[in-house]
Amino acid sequence: MSSSAVTVSERASYVLADNPGLMTLDGTNTWILREPGAARSVVVDPGPADDSHLQAVLDAAGEIALVLFTHRHHDHTEALERIVELTGAPTRSIDPAYTRSADVLADGETIDVDGLRLEVLATPGHTTDSACFLVGAERLLLSGDTILGRGTTVIAHPDGVLGPYLDSLARVRELVEEGLVEQILPGHGPVVTDPLAVVDFYLEHRAERLDQVRAAVAAGATTPREVVETVYQDVDQTLWPAAEQSVAAQLAYLRA
């Protein structure tokens, strides 16, 4: 059973989907954004095709003007057809496959819904179609899976690409340094209240892993599996298949 909405700020609340797991942490956060006093809302990442979760989202959101997706993974997009069927709301994404009755999202675009202003940031890396949404009035950044509320995200080759991901992290870091982002609202896990420390941790973690992969290759590892067996010995082996995809992305980055 999905939980009721949790209020984070005047403009942002979320409903946690009941789909916890190794990759989804506590579950998918479906974000509901609405300008104070406005009747209509924006839903970001409606989540899995779970009727109880979707009903909780509809109860919290009221009239939905627009549905946005941070990226194509099914734990964020599976409810697409059902939410369109129930609300008739247009849906938008950087990936045209998830756009209904509206244009695809463009980097730098500003969306205005009844006074709620969102800026679109293309942040490829976790997937090629990953995007973040900036709520400038409250210095909030909805990050999808680009930055999680706990741990680090997986860059799974071939859709995950490390070079663009590092560029996306650097872009988010600039926004934090400029004072434009004070909290990060992730697709999974708790709200990030110290974004600079978390982004720096992500960058340091990636740099360390790349050094470890370089060392493993220098020692004779030639396949992602061989690298994982050396570099990810401290990681639960149930995560090794995901780690292999991550290593494949790192090897592609190093070879490029």
Side-chain angles (χ1 to χ4, degrees):
M1 185 81 177
S2 280
S3 59
S4 58
V6 177
T7 299
V8 171
S9 74
E10 278 193 314
R11 292 171 175 81
S13 61
Y14 70 93
V15 177
L16 176 63
D18 186 18
N19 62 335
L22 291 171
M23 306 301 287
T24 56
L25 303 181
D26 307 315
T28 300
N29 297 327
T30 294
W31 288 96
I32 300 164
L33 306 175
R34 181 168 46 233
E35 187 67 12
R40 301 190 305 165
S41 63
V42 175
V43 170
V44 180
D45 290 345
D50 177 273
D51 287 343
S52 64
H53 174 67
L54 195 51
Q55 188 59 56
V57 171
L58 295 174
D59 290 345
E63 183 182 355
I64 299 173
L66 179 64
V67 178
L68 300 174
F69 294 99
T70 59
H71 64 294
R72 66 173 66 92
H73 285 163
H74 73 277
D75 53 313
H76 298 257
T77 64
E78 195 176 37
L80 168 65
E81 299 298 340
R82 185 62 175 153
I83 200 168
V84 169
E85 178 185 336
L86 291 172
T87 69
T91 66
R92 300 188 66 193
S93 167
I94 284 179
D95 185 341
Y98 296 96
T99 297
R100 299 289 188 277
S101 307
D103 297 329
V104 297
L105 296 172
D107 184 37
E109 175 183 355
T110 298
I111 299 170
D112 191 321
V113 176
D114 299 344
L116 175 75
R117 292 176 63 83
L118 304 175
E119 183 179 345
V120 179
L121 284 80
T123 50
H126 176 68
T127 59
T128 55
D129 71 330
S130 287
C132 295
F133 302 106
L134 178 65
V135 185
E138 295 185 326
R139 297 180 175 85
L140 307 174
L141 185 72
L142 280 74
S143 63
D145 286 3
T146 297
I147 296 172
L148 303 179
R150 185 172 64 250
T152 57
T153 197
V154 172
I155 310 302
H157 184 79
D159 192 27
V161 186
L162 186 55
Y165 182 67
L166 295 175
D167 292 340
S168 294
L169 289 179
R171 186 178 185 187
V172 172
R173 193 182 192 283
E174 287 179 7
L175 293 175
V176 176
E177 282 196 312
E178 291 169 4
L180 299 176
V181 172
E182 293 182 353
Q183 293 188 86
I184 293 175
L185 314 185
H188 306 283
V191 171
V192 174
T193 56
D194 190 356
L196 186 60
V198 169
V199 174
D200 281 346
F201 168 71
Y202 267 56
L203 289 166
E204 290 163 7
H205 171 74
R206 292 293 164 188
E208 289 171 1
R209 283 298 193 208
L210 281 170
D211 285 344
Q212 291 169 335
V213 171
R214 286 189 187 96
V217 170
T222 59
T223 67
R225 177 69 180 193
E226 290 171 351
V227 173
V228 167
E229 289 172 353
T230 300
V231 173
Y232 287 79
Q233 293 180 9
D234 60 333
V235 174
D236 189 318
Q237 289 193 23
T238 59
L239 293 174
W240 278 17
E244 283 189 61
Q245 291 179 305
S246 180
V247 166
Q250 294 174 80
L251 290 172
Y253 174 78
L254 292 175
R255 288 166 183 155

